[in-house]
Structures are given as C-alpha cells and as structure tokens.
Amino acid sequence: MTKKDFEPNRLFWDARMALGLSRPAVADIANGQPVMSTCEHEPMNENYIGRIEQGRIGGGMCVERRSALCLTLEVDDPAKIGLIAERRRPTRSAPSRQLGRRPPIDDGRNEGTAENDLVDFASVLEQRGMSNAELTAVELACERIDQGFARMPPDELMSKLRILTQLVSQHLRQPQTLRHHERLVRLAARVAGLRAWACFDINDHHTADRWFEAAVTVAQDAQAWALGAWLLGAQSLIPWHRRDIRRAAELIERGVYFASQGSEATTRAWLLALQARAYAGRGDIDGFESSYALAEEAAEVSNERDRRHGMDFAHGTLDLRYYGGTGWLLLRQQEHARTELTGSLNALPESHSKARAMLTLLLADAAVQSDDLAEAEALTLYALTSTIQQPIVPILQQGRRIQRLVHQRDPASTAALNEAVQRFSAALTTVATKARL
C-alpha cells in the first residue's frame, strides 16, 4: 500500500491544534495518563502521533492508548478524533457458521427454548462495556478535577466538568457489567455534585439545586451513603449563603442521617461541623459546642483518602477550624473565632487562594466586631485582589458584607474598598458568562 492510499486523519489534527499541542506534547501527555500504566506496548512518540494523523493508524491500537489519547485531546468518543471504536467479539447469540452448522430454525415448537434462553442470557452477561482501565481513568479524571477545584477559575472548571459529564453519560447508556455500572453510577453522582458546586460558585443557585437533587437521588438509590452525605452538606451551602438557616439545617440533618447509615469518619466529621455552625447561626451555643465536640472526635480518625471538595486537611486529618471559627463568629465570640480561623488559614496551602480568601474575610468580620476597621478593610482588600482571577460569589458576598459594615461605622474610609468590590464583581460577571456558554 502506498502513502497516497492513506486518508489523513483531519479530526485528530483539528483536535490537537484546538488545544495548541505539538505532536511530541500529545505523546508525552498521553503517556502520562494513568490508564497507560497497564499498557504493554512501548510509550507513544512523535512518530506514532504523526502516523495517526497520516491515517496509517486508525483503530488498530490497544484500548489503553486509545483512552489516553481521548483524555489528552479532551473528547469522550474515539470517533471524534478519527479513531475507530474497539470491535466487539461476536456473541454466542449470533448465528453460528462454524463447522458447517446452520442457525436453528424457529418452527414454532417449544423444543430447545430453554437452551436458546440460556444462550441469550449468557450473551447478555458477556457484554463487558468499557474496560476496567478505561473506567479507572475516568474516575481518576474526576479525582483530579476535585483536587484541582480550589485552584481553577469557574469557567475552566465548568468546561472540564461538562466533558466529564458527557463521558460518564455516554458510558451509562451502554451495556456494562454490574460492577462497572455501579461504579459509573457513583461516579455520575460525584460529577453532578462537583458541577452543582461550580454552579453555586457563579451564583446560578437554581441550576446548582437541580444538580444536587439529581445527584442525591442517585447516591441514595445506590446506597452510597458517604457520597450522599457530602452532597447534602454541599447543597446546604446554597440556603446558608441566602441566610435561610432553617433550610440549611434541614439539608444538614438529612446529611447526618445519610452519614449514620454507613459513612467513614471523614464525611461524618464534616457534616457534624456543618451542623455545629448551623446551631451557632441560630444562637444555640450549647448545640454548637455539643456538635462541634462530636465533629472533632470523628475528625481524629479521619483519613485524607476520603477527602472531597470542601474538606480541608492539616497533618493528615480533617481540619474543622474553618467551621469552628465561623461558629464562634456567629456567636460574637471574636477572640475564639480569630484563634480558630488563623490556625485554619496558616494550615491551608498557598495554592488554595479561594479558601484562603474566605478565611481572610472571616477574619475581617472579626476585626469589625472588635472595631478595628483599618484591619478589616486591609484584609478585605487583600482577599478580593488575591482572587480576582478566580472570582466566586461567596467571596463577593462576604466582601460586600464587610464593605457595608465598615461604611456604617466610617463612611469616609471605604473608597478603595468600593473600587475593589466593583472590580471583583465585574470579573465575576465575565467569568460566569463564560462558564454558562
């Protein structure tokens, strides 16, 4: 076969160019995908990618390489980059042509019905769907998005979550083994939860609520209690930031119930800390102290491998001081609040700029309670400017609150703060618009 007999793979080339990747870069990134850990072939190189684009390699590659290339070029279907999907082996229910045998003739009699039923049943069970390596690769992709959530702007985050949602949905529509289907269902609930949280960050509360409700239903049906507890705790943030403490408490109570049905200590501790903060929001200091003590007790045996978005760790265990500090702040015990919040802030990595900004704004709130307006203004300015590239609604909401409190006490001192809030609001509008596209 001569070179002119090959048809160039334009789809693959277009996908690579859309991401601005060179052939060596595609090979390097694809080789680094977790799914390649089970590949028995040599690592891909620039020449291999070139042969794909020349049309010399279409679908005759192992599933690990194909999955790695899909993940690298951010597509959910190999056909979108011109790679033929894996061919399935003929099932036992297909007409047999071996040894000159002819397919059975249906003459209306019941003879052989049991055998035919058994063959049909076995052929259904033989449908393997996606490979274990492919499923693991998708789960790891979700894990990376979760881990990188704190460092990504909302529009970039939403783009990645849309791709992952489409990928999971596509595989759920296909025949899978029972075990793989269960894993996909749980993965779908987690992806939906992350997408809901991303919607919440851009103030799209209605959409966030719908995604959370769908995810909780899936988790409950799958009896994934720890996952469902996390989802309900995350959903409670929507009414919490609307100052609807009653509704937030209802969702948290349901989350605590889920956690009691079969959750690890990490998620249980996080829900109890949320519950403690809700008690503080109602002015119930006894309820706050009781729930927070239970949360701290559970956190002592927490494990970072159970971490989900919204949970912070320090020295390998769940760090609840953000919630403890917020609770003390709501109870107007600013010295206790400052101690807890400062400890939490010092433990957070510098890369978690959004979480650090929220803690800084809570410290600004404590400064207002202590009538230290200059400190409150300085902290708020820092929080807003440090996250201008990753704007989210909770930061804007708290920034506006401090702005209002400072203005009430000293109207002449808020010019710089007003300007910073306006810039942050404009940046959030721009990012939110991109995220909704």
Side-chain angles (χ1 to χ4, degrees):
M1 184 176 286
T2 63
K3 185 174 181 179
K4 65 180 180 181
D5 294 320
F6 296 106
E7 183 177 351
N9 187 340
R10 183 75 186 186
L11 292 173
F12 194 99
W13 188 87
D14 286 343
R16 177 170 68 82
M17 297 305 294
L19 295 174
L21 297 174
S22 64
R23 286 178 178 176
V26 170
D28 289 343
I29 296 171
N31 289 330
Q33 297 288 356
V35 68
M36 289 296 289
S37 63
T38 59
C39 181
E40 298 179 353
H41 299 90
E42 292 293 321
M44 291 177 278
N45 55 26
E46 176 183 2
N47 181 54
Y48 188 85
I49 303 303
R51 290 168 66 198
I52 292 174
E53 294 185 350
Q54 292 165 9
R56 293 175 177 270
I57 301 175
M61 65 179 68
C62 67
V63 66
E64 289 84 4
R65 282 180 170 178
R66 189 171 62 250
S67 297
L69 289 169
C70 286
L71 289 168
T72 299
L73 297 179
E74 300 182 1
V75 298
D76 57 8
D77 184 350
K80 292 181 179 179
I81 50 175
L83 301 181
I84 302 170
E86 182 182 19
R87 294 183 177 89
R88 296 188 184 277
R89 294 175 297 178
T91 64
R92 291 175 60 191
S93 59
S96 174
R97 301 188 183 277
Q98 296 179 353
L99 304 177
R101 293 175 60 187
R102 299 166 65 182
I105 299 174
D106 183 4
D107 58 4
R109 294 180 297 178
N110 291 328
E111 291 184 24
T113 299
E115 178 64 22
N116 290 340
D117 286 348
L118 178 59
V119 170
D120 182 65
F121 181 67
S123 69
V124 171
L125 294 180
E126 281 180 358
Q127 297 183 88
R128 310 306 294 176
M130 67 193 306
S131 70
N132 188 64
E134 286 178 306
L135 178 53
T136 301
V138 178
E139 290 170 332
L140 288 172
C142 179
E143 185 69 25
R144 286 195 297 274
I145 290 176
D146 191 319
Q147 292 174 351
F149 200 110
R151 297 183 292 275
M152 282 187 276
D155 53 337
E156 178 185 345
L157 182 63
M158 193 67 79
S159 176
K160 291 180 181 294
L161 287 169
R162 283 197 186 99
I163 293 171
L164 194 56
T165 302
Q166 292 168 2
L167 184 60
V168 173
S169 298
Q170 176 193 2
H171 285 302
L172 277 171
R173 293 188 185 99
Q174 298 170 352
Q176 305 289 342
T177 64
L178 179 59
R179 178 57 182 151
H180 281 190
H181 183 77
E182 290 174 348
R183 286 169 63 184
L184 276 167
V185 166
R186 293 177 183 232
L187 178 60
R190 186 172 184 182
V191 172
L194 290 171
R195 190 159 179 177
W197 206 315
C199 290
F200 165 70
D201 279 348
I202 60 173
N203 206 32
D204 190 352
H205 288 181
H206 176 67
T207 303
D209 249 332
R210 291 173 62 196
W211 275 106
F212 274 130
E213 287 170 4
V216 169
T217 299
V218 171
Q220 185 172 9
D221 289 345
Q223 296 187 348
W225 302 115
L227 177 60
W230 169 71
L231 289 165
L232 286 162
Q235 187 178 9
S236 75
L237 299 180
I238 298 174
W240 177 264
H241 283 275
R242 292 175 178 168
R243 300 293 188 265
D244 185 353
I245 297 177
R246 182 191 62 79
R247 173 59 178 160
E250 288 175 353
L251 289 167
I252 293 167
E253 288 288 345
R254 191 178 170 203
V256 170
Y257 170 76
F258 269 48
S260 71
Q261 297 303 296
S263 171
E264 81 291 326
T266 304
T267 302
R268 189 166 63 254
W270 187 67
L271 263 293
L272 288 167
L274 286 171
Q275 186 182 56
R277 186 176 67 170
Y279 279 123
R282 295 193 293 251
D284 184 349
I285 188 169
D286 290 336
F288 166 74
E289 291 182 329
S290 176
S291 285
Y292 195 62
L294 291 173
E296 289 185 308
E297 182 180 345
E300 289 178 0
V301 290
S302 61
N303 194 305
E304 199 159 0
R305 70 165 178 263
D306 300 317
R307 174 198 174 277
R308 291 187 175 92
H309 180 61
M311 302 176 185
D312 298 316
F313 281 77
H315 309 296
T317 58
L318 188 65
D319 186 357
L320 301 175
R321 288 175 290 184
Y322 169 84
Y323 303 100
T326 307
W328 286 120
L329 197 60
L330 290 166
L331 294 166
R332 305 196 67 79
Q333 301 286 327
Q334 59 266 28
E335 290 307 316
H336 288 319
R338 189 177 284 112
T339 299
E340 295 285 275
L341 295 170
T342 301
S344 182
L345 180 61
N346 291 338
L348 270 179
E350 291 289 337
S351 58
H352 290 207
S353 56
K354 290 181 283 189
R356 291 180 64 85
M358 285 301 301
L359 282 161
T360 301
L361 288 166
L362 291 171
L363 285 168
D365 203 336
V368 171
Q369 289 189 16
S370 300
D371 289 324
D372 190 346
L373 301 186
E375 176 72 3
E377 185 171 358
L379 289 170
T380 305
L381 285 170
Y382 174 78
L384 293 172
T385 55
S386 66
T387 52
I388 193 72
Q389 301 301 321
Q390 298 173 295
I392 58 174
V393 165
I395 293 175
L396 177 61
Q397 183 183 37
Q398 183 68 2
R400 282 175 170 165
R401 182 171 183 276
I402 303 300
Q403 174 195 27
R404 184 173 64 254
L405 292 173
V406 171
H407 180 75
Q408 289 172 353
R409 291 166 171 78
D410 185 5
S413 69
T414 57
L417 195 53
N418 291 344
E419 184 180 346
V421 168
Q422 290 172 1
R423 284 200 306 270
F424 192 91
S425 178
L428 177 59
T429 299
T430 299
V431 168
T433 300
K434 290 181 181 178
R436 292 188 178 102
L437 294 177

